[in-house]
Amino acid sequence: MGILNINLNGLELKNPIMTASGTYGYASEYNDFIDVSKLGAVVTKAISLHPRAGNKHLRITETRAGMINSIGLENVGIEKFIEIKLPELQKNNIDFVMNVAGSTLDEYIQVAKICNDNNIKAIELNVSCPNVKAGCLEFGTDENSLFELVSKVRAVYDGFLIVKLTPNVTSIEKLGLAAQKAGANAISAINTLKGTSIKIDFIKGKFHKTIVQGGYSGIGIKPVAVGAVSRLAKAINIPIIGMGGIETLDDVLEFFAAGAEAVQIGTANFTHPETAEKLINELEEFITKNGFKDLNELKRELRA
């Protein structure tokens, strides 16, 4: 066992540094930058029952402290994922979690069944994407709907089940408890905040506006994310995977202090694709240099 190894309620990872869904493609896209197999896990793009073309309008805009995206869950669909992407992940020995999205309860269940039949060991239910017209967020903002969804997925899927929660609710604790009671093995938090960017140009005496509405992510949401993780840690007793604005080792330690057992790197991947590997190295060096036995001891001291 290495000093960074963790056991997330039964899911063994070589380290606690993961990459967030939607920011790392299907993993092979980053092979030119780092050794992806060194990561604790890659969370894939959201995979739906059928292929999705995504949104047609402007999809991404930068902000002063992050970005707003409205991709619309573009993906190849579960059949193509199993046929093309899964063999690549297995061939390259990449630990991964498959993010699952659906427009209806039945779509989530069908995808989960296919994952179970193909021995995909971990999935992350996307119930918190604000960029689609149906599904996802509507399941993640109501505790009864979430309980029903997670329960029915749990009934057909034997692997490790993560539920990704939205911050766009009054009480994220109630959603976490609903997911836990329904059989989730872990919670990941948080997904993006709802945001709007309006770029204004004044040309030849007239205003021209470019509007992007979607999910706001990046360093600006970190205090919201840390707060959500901290509240969840007091309410539930399954592991929490924290995310939201993580760029540095200090950010990682902050999430650990709040109660996260692992973290996901998101927006930082776009500007510095080596971020996740860099943080793995820095975390191991910090533990060794400062005399901690392992990651668990570091977490205990951070939470003391």
Side-chain angles (χ1 to χ4, degrees), residues 93-123:
N93 197 31
I94 295 170
D95 291 320
F96 73 95
V97 175
M98 199 183 87
N99 187 279
V100 174
S103 297
T104 65
L105 181 61
D106 187 58
E107 285 187 9
Y108 279 101
I109 294 169
Q110 288 189 59
V111 174
K113 282 181 179 178
I114 295 170
C115 290
N116 201 62
D117 292 342
N118 286 274
N119 299 312
I120 293 176
K121 69 178 183 179
I123 63 174

Short mmCIF file of all heavy atoms in Angstrom, two decimals, residues 93-123:
data_model
loop_
_atom_site.label_atom_id
_atom_site.label_comp_id
_atom_site.label_asym_id
_atom_site.label_seq_id
_atom_site.Cartn_x
_atom_site.Cartn_y
_atom_site.Cartn_z
N ASN A 93 -4.87 0.86 -19.06
CA ASN A 93 -4.87 0.63 -17.61
C ASN A 93 -5.27 1.88 -16.84
O ASN A 93 -4.66 2.23 -15.82
CB ASN A 93 -3.49 0.14 -17.15
CG ASN A 93 -3.53 -0.48 -15.77
OD1 ASN A 93 -4.53 -1.07 -15.37
ND2 ASN A 93 -2.44 -0.34 -15.04
N ILE A 94 -6.32 2.55 -17.31
CA ILE A 94 -6.78 3.78 -16.69
C ILE A 94 -7.96 3.49 -15.78
O ILE A 94 -8.97 2.91 -16.20
CB ILE A 94 -7.20 4.81 -17.76
CG1 ILE A 94 -5.97 5.23 -18.58
CG2 ILE A 94 -7.86 6.03 -17.14
CD1 ILE A 94 -6.30 6.06 -19.81
N ASP A 95 -7.83 3.86 -14.51
CA ASP A 95 -8.95 3.75 -13.58
C ASP A 95 -9.95 4.86 -13.90
O ASP A 95 -9.56 6.03 -14.00
CB ASP A 95 -8.46 3.88 -12.14
CG ASP A 95 -7.62 2.69 -11.71
OD1 ASP A 95 -7.98 1.55 -12.08
OD2 ASP A 95 -6.62 2.89 -11.01
N PHE A 96 -11.21 4.50 -14.04
CA PHE A 96 -12.19 5.51 -14.42
C PHE A 96 -13.52 5.28 -13.72
O PHE A 96 -13.83 4.19 -13.25
CB PHE A 96 -12.39 5.52 -15.94
CG PHE A 96 -13.18 4.33 -16.46
CD1 PHE A 96 -14.55 4.43 -16.67
CD2 PHE A 96 -12.55 3.13 -16.72
CE1 PHE A 96 -15.27 3.34 -17.13
CE2 PHE A 96 -13.26 2.03 -17.19
CZ PHE A 96 -14.63 2.14 -17.39
N VAL A 97 -14.27 6.36 -13.67
CA VAL A 97 -15.66 6.35 -13.21
C VAL A 97 -16.48 6.86 -14.38
O VAL A 97 -16.13 7.88 -14.98
CB VAL A 97 -15.86 7.26 -11.99
CG1 VAL A 97 -17.34 7.34 -11.61
CG2 VAL A 97 -15.01 6.78 -10.82
N MET A 98 -17.56 6.17 -14.73
CA MET A 98 -18.38 6.63 -15.84
C MET A 98 -19.50 7.52 -15.33
O MET A 98 -20.31 7.10 -14.52
CB MET A 98 -18.97 5.47 -16.63
CG MET A 98 -19.42 5.90 -18.02
SD MET A 98 -20.20 4.58 -18.96
CE MET A 98 -21.87 4.76 -18.40
N ASN A 99 -19.52 8.76 -15.79
CA ASN A 99 -20.59 9.68 -15.44
C ASN A 99 -21.81 9.34 -16.28
O ASN A 99 -21.71 9.15 -17.49
CB ASN A 99 -20.13 11.12 -15.69
CG ASN A 99 -21.12 12.15 -15.20
OD1 ASN A 99 -22.11 12.44 -15.87
ND2 ASN A 99 -20.86 12.71 -14.04
N VAL A 100 -22.96 9.24 -15.64
CA VAL A 100 -24.19 8.80 -16.30
C VAL A 100 -25.22 9.91 -16.25
O VAL A 100 -25.50 10.47 -15.18
CB VAL A 100 -24.76 7.53 -15.62
CG1 VAL A 100 -26.12 7.17 -16.21
CG2 VAL A 100 -23.79 6.37 -15.75
N ALA A 101 -25.80 10.23 -17.41
CA ALA A 101 -26.85 11.25 -17.48
C ALA A 101 -28.07 10.68 -18.18
O ALA A 101 -27.98 9.74 -18.97
CB ALA A 101 -26.35 12.47 -18.24
N GLY A 102 -29.21 11.26 -17.89
CA GLY A 102 -30.44 10.81 -18.53
C GLY A 102 -31.48 11.91 -18.56
O GLY A 102 -31.43 12.84 -17.75
N SER A 103 -32.42 11.79 -19.49
CA SER A 103 -33.54 12.73 -19.55
C SER A 103 -34.74 12.21 -18.78
O SER A 103 -35.62 12.98 -18.40
CB SER A 103 -33.93 12.98 -21.01
OG SER A 103 -32.87 13.57 -21.73
N THR A 104 -34.78 10.88 -18.58
CA THR A 104 -35.88 10.26 -17.86
C THR A 104 -35.33 9.23 -16.88
O THR A 104 -34.17 8.80 -16.99
CB THR A 104 -36.84 9.54 -18.82
OG1 THR A 104 -36.15 8.44 -19.44
CG2 THR A 104 -37.38 10.48 -19.89
N LEU A 105 -36.16 8.83 -15.95
CA LEU A 105 -35.78 7.80 -14.99
C LEU A 105 -35.39 6.52 -15.70
O LEU A 105 -34.39 5.87 -15.37
CB LEU A 105 -36.95 7.55 -14.02
CG LEU A 105 -36.75 6.53 -12.92
CD1 LEU A 105 -35.62 6.92 -11.99
CD2 LEU A 105 -38.05 6.36 -12.13
N ASP A 106 -36.17 6.15 -16.71
CA ASP A 106 -35.90 4.90 -17.43
C ASP A 106 -34.56 4.94 -18.15
O ASP A 106 -33.86 3.92 -18.22
CB ASP A 106 -37.02 4.64 -18.45
CG ASP A 106 -36.89 3.28 -19.13
OD1 ASP A 106 -36.89 2.26 -18.40
OD2 ASP A 106 -36.77 3.25 -20.36
N GLU A 107 -34.16 6.10 -18.67
CA GLU A 107 -32.86 6.19 -19.35
C GLU A 107 -31.71 5.94 -18.38
O GLU A 107 -30.75 5.24 -18.71
CB GLU A 107 -32.72 7.56 -20.02
CG GLU A 107 -33.54 7.71 -21.28
CD GLU A 107 -33.26 9.01 -22.01
OE1 GLU A 107 -32.30 9.72 -21.62
OE2 GLU A 107 -33.99 9.32 -22.97
N TYR A 108 -31.79 6.52 -17.19
CA TYR A 108 -30.77 6.26 -16.18
C TYR A 108 -30.68 4.77 -15.87
O TYR A 108 -29.59 4.19 -15.78
CB TYR A 108 -31.08 7.01 -14.89
CG TYR A 108 -30.69 8.46 -14.84
CD1 TYR A 108 -31.64 9.46 -15.03
CD2 TYR A 108 -29.38 8.85 -14.58
CE1 TYR A 108 -31.30 10.80 -14.96
CE2 TYR A 108 -29.02 10.19 -14.51
CZ TYR A 108 -29.99 11.16 -14.70
OH TYR A 108 -29.65 12.49 -14.63
N ILE A 109 -31.83 4.14 -15.71
CA ILE A 109 -31.87 2.72 -15.35
C ILE A 109 -31.28 1.87 -16.46
O ILE A 109 -30.48 0.95 -16.21
CB ILE A 109 -33.31 2.28 -15.04
CG1 ILE A 109 -33.81 2.99 -13.78
CG2 ILE A 109 -33.40 0.77 -14.87
CD1 ILE A 109 -35.30 2.83 -13.53
N GLN A 110 -31.61 2.17 -17.71
CA GLN A 110 -31.09 1.39 -18.83
C GLN A 110 -29.57 1.51 -18.94
O GLN A 110 -28.87 0.52 -19.16
CB GLN A 110 -31.75 1.84 -20.13
CG GLN A 110 -33.20 1.42 -20.27
CD GLN A 110 -33.74 1.71 -21.68
OE1 GLN A 110 -33.21 1.19 -22.67
NE2 GLN A 110 -34.77 2.53 -21.76
N VAL A 111 -29.05 2.72 -18.78
CA VAL A 111 -27.60 2.90 -18.85
C VAL A 111 -26.92 2.17 -17.70
O VAL A 111 -25.89 1.51 -17.88
CB VAL A 111 -27.23 4.40 -18.84
CG1 VAL A 111 -25.71 4.57 -18.77
CG2 VAL A 111 -27.77 5.10 -20.08
N ALA A 112 -27.51 2.25 -16.50
CA ALA A 112 -26.93 1.56 -15.35
C ALA A 112 -26.91 0.05 -15.57
O ALA A 112 -25.93 -0.63 -15.20
CB ALA A 112 -27.72 1.90 -14.09
N LYS A 113 -27.94 -0.49 -16.17
CA LYS A 113 -27.97 -1.93 -16.47
C LYS A 113 -26.84 -2.31 -17.42
O LYS A 113 -26.17 -3.33 -17.24
CB LYS A 113 -29.32 -2.31 -17.10
CG LYS A 113 -30.47 -2.44 -16.13
CD LYS A 113 -31.73 -2.85 -16.89
CE LYS A 113 -32.91 -3.02 -15.96
NZ LYS A 113 -34.16 -3.37 -16.71
N ILE A 114 -26.65 -1.50 -18.45
CA ILE A 114 -25.59 -1.78 -19.42
C ILE A 114 -24.23 -1.71 -18.74
O ILE A 114 -23.34 -2.53 -19.00
CB ILE A 114 -25.68 -0.79 -20.60
CG1 ILE A 114 -26.98 -1.02 -21.38
CG2 ILE A 114 -24.47 -0.94 -21.53
CD1 ILE A 114 -27.28 0.05 -22.41
N CYS A 115 -24.05 -0.74 -17.85
CA CYS A 115 -22.80 -0.66 -17.10
C CYS A 115 -22.58 -1.90 -16.25
O CYS A 115 -21.47 -2.43 -16.18
CB CYS A 115 -22.82 0.58 -16.19
SG CYS A 115 -22.71 2.15 -17.06
N ASN A 116 -23.63 -2.37 -15.63
CA ASN A 116 -23.53 -3.56 -14.80
C ASN A 116 -23.17 -4.77 -15.64
O ASN A 116 -22.30 -5.58 -15.26
CB ASN A 116 -24.86 -3.80 -14.07
CG ASN A 116 -24.70 -4.67 -12.85
OD1 ASN A 116 -24.01 -4.32 -11.90
ND2 ASN A 116 -25.34 -5.83 -12.86
N ASP A 117 -23.80 -4.90 -16.79
CA ASP A 117 -23.54 -6.04 -17.68
C ASP A 117 -22.12 -6.04 -18.22
O ASP A 117 -21.59 -7.10 -18.58
CB ASP A 117 -24.53 -6.04 -18.85
CG ASP A 117 -25.96 -6.33 -18.42
OD1 ASP A 117 -26.14 -6.85 -17.30
OD2 ASP A 117 -26.89 -6.01 -19.18
N ASN A 118 -21.51 -4.86 -18.30
CA ASN A 118 -20.16 -4.74 -18.84
C ASN A 118 -19.10 -4.53 -17.76
O ASN A 118 -17.97 -4.13 -18.05
CB ASN A 118 -20.11 -3.59 -19.85
CG ASN A 118 -20.80 -3.95 -21.16
OD1 ASN A 118 -20.19 -4.52 -22.05
ND2 ASN A 118 -22.08 -3.61 -21.26
N ASN A 119 -19.47 -4.83 -16.52
CA ASN A 119 -18.54 -4.81 -15.39
C ASN A 119 -17.83 -3.47 -15.20
O ASN A 119 -16.64 -3.43 -14.86
CB ASN A 119 -17.50 -5.94 -15.53
CG ASN A 119 -18.15 -7.31 -15.53
OD1 ASN A 119 -18.98 -7.61 -14.68
ND2 ASN A 119 -17.78 -8.14 -16.51
N ILE A 120 -18.54 -2.39 -15.46
CA ILE A 120 -17.98 -1.06 -15.17
C ILE A 120 -18.09 -0.86 -13.66
O ILE A 120 -19.19 -0.81 -13.11
CB ILE A 120 -18.72 0.03 -15.96
CG1 ILE A 120 -18.41 -0.16 -17.46
CG2 ILE A 120 -18.32 1.42 -15.49
CD1 ILE A 120 -19.13 0.78 -18.37
N LYS A 121 -16.95 -0.74 -13.01
CA LYS A 121 -16.93 -0.87 -11.54
C LYS A 121 -17.44 0.34 -10.78
O LYS A 121 -17.77 0.23 -9.61
CB LYS A 121 -15.53 -1.23 -11.05
CG LYS A 121 -14.50 -0.12 -11.19
CD LYS A 121 -13.15 -0.57 -10.62
CE LYS A 121 -12.11 0.55 -10.69
NZ LYS A 121 -10.81 0.12 -10.10
N ALA A 122 -17.50 1.50 -11.44
CA ALA A 122 -17.96 2.70 -10.73
C ALA A 122 -18.66 3.65 -11.69
O ALA A 122 -18.18 3.88 -12.80
CB ALA A 122 -16.78 3.40 -10.06
N ILE A 123 -19.80 4.18 -11.24
CA ILE A 123 -20.49 5.20 -12.03
C ILE A 123 -20.82 6.38 -11.13
O ILE A 123 -20.93 6.25 -9.91
CB ILE A 123 -21.78 4.67 -12.71
CG1 ILE A 123 -22.82 4.23 -11.66
CG2 ILE A 123 -21.46 3.54 -13.67
CD1 ILE A 123 -24.16 3.82 -12.28
#
